[in-house]
Amino acid sequence: MVRVGIDRIAFYTSNQFVALKDVADHNQIDPEKFSAGIWQENMAVTTADEDAVTLAANAAETIFADGSIERHVDQLLFATESGVDQSKAGGIYVRRLLGLNNNCRVVELKQACYSATAGLQMALAQIRANPSLKILLIASDIARYGLGTPGEATQGCGAVAMLLTANPSILAIDEEAGLHSDDVMDFWRPNYSDTAMVDGKYSTKMYLTTLKACIKDYRQRVDSLAFDHLCYHLPFSRMAEKAHKTFCRETGTKFSADEFAEQINAGLVYNRTIGNSYTASLYIGLTSLLDNQHIAEGARIGLFSFGSGCMGELMGATVQPNYRQALHATKHSAMLQDRQQLNYSEYAQAFNFNYAKDGDEQVLPLQTKGTYRLAKIANHQRHYEPTQS
Ligand code: HMG
């Protein structure tokens, strides 16, 4: 059987962030609640000239920038729950910005934080049938709950781009997976709201209930649940600890504290300083694990994807020989080092930035350090362009 999976992976986040200590001080909350209670240090804050489209284009640009990968794909799948249009797919803008070929299928996918995984499985099924296909999957999101809300400390933004192929350089993904879906109202965002609505404690409970159901389904399809590392969807970093405790309990595996940390901690490095990036979060976690820990070739990674509402999937994957050569770890680290820290009032101002909704022309200030930006909104249309033309 042909091996299929991730040939390249790169992520992008905004060049500005706020420290959660400053948010805690402003809200008169003990900062330990965020550092020790949910394991978050900072959260990424979007600039006025970026949105889910620019984050996505900037993530994917890293894959193509050095010229080693041809700018030609058979499909571009764009997963998001913070799309910029109810009709037009964000990927349509991204394809043009990246200079990819026109004879390419482009579509946007939605199911809360889960949809990138649906895209991954749909793409891999097609590649198994036709191993010459190259599919670009991008997950991109901005998590917004509102200032002063319980969800505030779990905001963030980011995008991840993955080139999916046969005989992948980084990670081969198994065909069988454990699935579970249910109709629940733990987190949602009506069309008229630009912030999410959430029943926070219930959403955490649904996440863990769904994980258990996925483990059960996985067991019925696959013999072994033995993984060397696990990456979980990360609404906040400590969710991985809760999930991994559940995983160990359900599978009857016992680990020392060091082994437990070894299995999940490297996957949390980026999330701790970016925050939730919804659809991208699991795969930025995977990038974090690959970039920050030397993993043995052939090691098994378990991936748990969860999207509120809800849908979950547990997958198994195998690390490929020489995978480190295909990573962009140095670029990721430089991008995070190069960010500007906002104080609380700068963060609140950025959060409350008003975008034109009346069709008037609004030229946006140049703030992003990314390759692509939202330059203006005019006649209800968004205009994207390279930052340096
Ligand atoms: P909250 O009410 O702000 O916080 O809600 P809390 O009181 O539950 O405290 C959080 C933890 O900090 C607790 O630990 C406290 O004990 C601890 P736990 O009980 O969990 O072990 N704590 C402290 N620790 C040390 N020192 C202190 C201190 N004070 C408290 N001084 C919540 C937290 C995450 C629910 C909230 O921020 C929220 O609603 N966030 C948004 C929803 C969310 O992230 N849900 C996660 C699961 S759903 C999901 O993953 C899907 C999602 O990504 C969306 C999608 O699918 O599209 C969200």
Side-chain angles (χ1 to χ4, degrees):
M1 164 115 45
V2 60
R3 281 179 299 112
V4 299
I6 302 173
D7 189 60
R8 291 289 185 283
I9 187 164
F11 85 95
Y12 184 82
T13 187
S14 176
N15 46 268
Q16 52 186 30
F17 71 95
V18 64
L20 286 184
K21 185 185 173 311
D22 293 344
V23 176
D25 287 349
H26 179 270
N27 292 342
Q28 298 182 322
I29 292 172
D30 180 356
E32 288 277 302
K33 176 174 177 182
F34 300 148
S35 55
I38 59 170
W39 293 5
Q40 287 299 134
E41 302 302 325
N42 302 314
M43 68 191 176
V45 179
T46 47
T47 60
D49 57 345
E50 64 192 355
D51 61 16
V53 168
T54 67
L55 292 170
N58 285 318
E61 178 60 27
T62 298
I63 287 180
F64 298 104
D66 69 4
S68 61
I69 303 284
E70 195 192 353
R71 288 187 189 250
H72 191 288
V73 296
D74 298 289
Q75 285 180 39
L76 193 167
L77 304 177
F78 187 87
T80 186
E81 57 180 300
S82 35
V84 299
D85 196 286
Q86 290 285 42
S87 177
K88 180 165 175 164
I92 297 277
Y93 299 108
V94 174
R95 187 208 61 76
R96 194 246 316 153
L97 288 170
L98 292 174
L100 298 174
N101 48 304
N102 289 81
N103 59 341
C104 155
R105 184 175 293 127
V106 182
V107 72
E108 188 166 305
L109 305 164
K110 181 175 70 185
Q111 177 14 60
C113 299
Y114 167 77
S115 63
T117 301
L120 180 81
Q121 294 292 21
M122 291 190 289
L124 297 183
Q126 292 180 71
I127 297 168
R128 278 186 199 101
N130 178 357
S132 71
L133 291 180
K134 294 198 183 326
I135 300 184
L136 181 62
L137 169 63
I138 312 178
S140 180
D141 268 308
I142 301 164
R144 281 171 65 88
Y145 293 93
L147 305 181
T149 65
E152 180 178 16
T154 61
Q155 300 176 121
C157 69
V160 65
M162 293 175 264
L163 186 67
L164 308 174
T165 65
N167 303 314
S169 303
I170 298 176
L171 204 62
I173 302 197
D174 302 350
E175 189 164 5
E176 292 293 352
L179 297 157
H180 183 76
S181 171
D182 202 353
D183 181 3
V184 293
M185 294 303 284
D186 58 332
F187 167 105
W188 65 105
R189 183 165 70 82
N191 287 345
Y192 49 78
S193 176
D194 71 354
T195 50
M197 300 183 181
V198 64
D199 184 342
K201 298 272 188 305
Y202 180 53
S203 71
T204 307
K205 187 172 163 221
M206 281 319 304
Y207 179 120
L208 297 175
T209 303
T210 304
L211 172 60
K212 283 189 227 166
C214 288
I215 292 170
K216 190 171 172 208
D217 189 52
Y218 189 94
R219 263 209 181 105
Q220 282 164 5
R221 300 170 193 250
V222 185
D223 289 344
S224 169
L225 264 158
F227 296 120
D228 301 294
H229 304 276
L230 281 110
C231 294
Y232 295 96
H233 166 56
L234 297 173
F236 52 91
S237 296
R238 193 163 163 227
M239 197 69 223
E241 186 205 36
K242 292 176 189 290
H244 200 44
K245 279 187 175 159
T246 301
F247 180 87
C248 293
R249 225 180 6 254
E250 290 297 301
T251 55
T253 26
K254 289 197 171 40
F255 297 109
S256 67
D258 284 353
E259 286 166 334
F260 188 94
E262 162 93 7
Q263 289 184 331
I264 60 166
N265 280 7
L268 311 182
V269 175
Y270 296 154
N271 189 271
R272 280 176 182 268
T273 191
I274 294 173
N276 197 356
S277 53
Y278 291 160
T279 51
S281 149
L282 167 64
Y283 299 97
I284 292 181
L286 170 64
T287 314
S288 178
L289 169 66
L290 296 167
D291 283 358
N292 292 296
Q293 187 161 346
H294 279 266
I295 301 172
E297 291 169 8
R300 294 280 295 153
I301 299 182
L303 298 156
F304 176 63
S305 177
F306 175 73
S308 283
C310 69
M311 179 68 220
E313 182 159 347
L314 178 64
M315 300 172 281
T318 306
V319 175
Q320 299 300 291
N322 304 317
Y323 72 95
R324 293 201 72 81
Q325 291 170 13
L327 298 179
H328 293 282
T330 310
K331 174 135 197 208
H332 294 149
S333 145
M335 173 180 66
L336 293 174
Q337 294 283 323
D338 198 27
R339 295 188 304 167
Q340 184 201 345
Q341 181 169 351
L342 305 181
N343 63 32
Y344 182 87
S345 68
E346 290 165 332
Y347 145 67
Q349 206 181 342
F351 183 90
N352 287 323
F353 187 87
N354 276 320
Y355 290 97
K357 290 184 180 146
D358 55 5
D360 272 1
E361 178 165 303
Q362 181 183 33
V363 175
L364 295 159
L366 172 57
Q367 293 179 341
T368 180
K369 291 182 185 166
T371 307
Y372 304 107
R373 65 185 292 264
L374 174 64
K376 69 174 179 181
I377 301 172
N379 296 322
H380 301 286
Q381 297 174 24
R382 295 170 96 82
H383 294 261
Y384 297 98
E385 59 184 35
T387 307
Q388 288 167 339
S389 44

